[in-house]
Amino acid sequence: MKAKVYNMSGQEVDLVELPAAVFEANINRDLMHQALVRQMANARRGTHKAKGRSEINKSTAKIYRQKGTGNARHGSRRAPIFVGGGVAHGPIPRKYTKRMPRRMRRAALRSALSVKAENGDIVVLDEVTMNAPKTKEMVAFIDNVASGHTALLLLPEADVNVEKSARNLVDVKTIMARYLNIRDLLGYEKILMPLASLESVMDFLVDDSYVAEPGAESMEEE
């Protein structure tokens, strides 16, 4: 698959071949859904907690005599039916972690990239550089290459100027290419990919046996 290469002004400057193994892969929507559910579940902290009746600090004395009051029989103010009592079947801390083999995760990424490429939502750039953090310049850049769309900008490496320029824009997100993940791929309409980022993505998606540097898959592991 051939793709046009643009500069930051939105002008076509070259053509590049997108590997069919990644951008024309078999589209497995069930696999993409499974990967997305896994990532969203793994991002949950699971620290929710409500006190049960055994954890409430109230008197253990019978609240009133058994007979003669006309009221229902009760023995504890800690019962869930009373204000200030325990919560019946309330949430407790737990892990939501889901496991998914690396090959399946990467196959899901290839499916998502293939969907984006099929819809013309992959925008290849020669480079993305800024001399200083300027939100105004970032807005002009996004208007040139992805006007009217939300955009995910993949950086080949950390770039403080570019990241600071985009962080106040609600429709733009920047991440390093090695942190590519299914949630961001499906959550943004246009994927902006400099040539250096394209090479980084190819490194771990073309070959399933490739293992990135320690910490490189932290976003994929969420």
Side-chain angles (χ1 to χ4, degrees):
M1 176 185 293
K2 291 284 187 180
K4 297 178 180 178
V5 181
Y6 299 91
N7 59 21
M8 293 184 65
S9 299
Q11 300 171 336
E12 182 181 344
V13 295
D14 201 358
L15 283 175
V16 67
E17 181 73 26
L18 298 180
V22 175
F23 294 94
E24 296 181 65
N26 179 46
I27 298 175
N28 189 329
R29 299 188 185 279
D30 291 337
L31 191 62
M32 287 191 289
H33 177 265
Q34 181 180 346
L36 179 61
V37 170
R38 168 193 169 273
Q39 185 175 348
M40 298 295 286
N42 291 1
R44 299 184 67 174
R45 298 181 63 185
T47 55
H48 40 45
K49 178 68 171 70
K51 288 184 177 181
R53 63 184 297 168
S54 65
E55 300 170 295
I56 299 298
N57 185 19
K58 285 186 179 294
S59 173
T60 58
K62 186 171 176 64
I63 59 177
Y64 49 75
R65 61 196 176 95
Q66 179 84 345
K67 294 180 176 295
T69 65
N71 297 320
R73 297 170 291 183
H74 287 294
S76 174
R77 281 290 182 186
R78 297 185 294 183
I81 65 172
F82 292 117
V83 174
V87 176
H89 311 297
I92 58 176
R94 55 161 291 194
K95 290 185 177 180
Y96 289 91
T97 305
K98 295 179 182 292
R99 297 183 61 83
M100 189 175 181
R102 180 188 293 119
R103 290 195 174 190
M104 292 178 67
R105 298 197 306 266
R106 293 181 179 178
L109 290 178
R110 288 192 289 268
S111 290
L113 286 170
S114 297
V115 170
K116 290 293 184 181
E118 182 180 317
N119 295 334
D121 292 330
I122 302 290
V123 180
V124 183
L125 305 162
D126 55 353
E127 62 176 358
V128 177
T129 58
M130 290 187 172
N131 297 326
K134 291 288 184 181
T135 302
K136 186 175 181 180
E137 292 181 9
M138 178 60 69
V139 170
F141 160 57
I142 296 299
D143 285 343
N144 290 333
V145 298
S147 179
H149 298 87
T150 59
L152 176 66
L153 175 57
L154 303 181
L155 301 176
E157 56 187 13
D159 189 322
V160 175
N161 291 335
V162 174
E163 292 170 6
K164 285 186 176 181
S165 299
R167 67 184 179 185
N168 286 335
L169 303 178
V170 296
D171 293 332
V172 179
K173 181 177 181 179
T174 62
I175 62 171
M176 285 188 281
R178 66 176 182 268
Y179 294 153
L180 185 63
N181 62 92
I182 193 73
R183 179 174 60 184
D184 287 333
L185 265 180
L186 299 179
Y188 290 85
E189 297 169 341
K190 296 289 185 180
I191 310 301
L192 311 184
M193 194 178 300
L195 290 173
S197 297
L198 179 60
E199 294 177 3
S200 180
V201 170
M202 293 305 99
D203 283 343
F204 73 93
L205 286 186
V206 171
D207 183 6
D208 277 327
S209 64
Y210 172 82
V211 178
E213 293 298 321
E217 290 188 332
S218 59
M219 286 293 289
E220 186 185 353
E221 293 292 341
E222 279 187 2

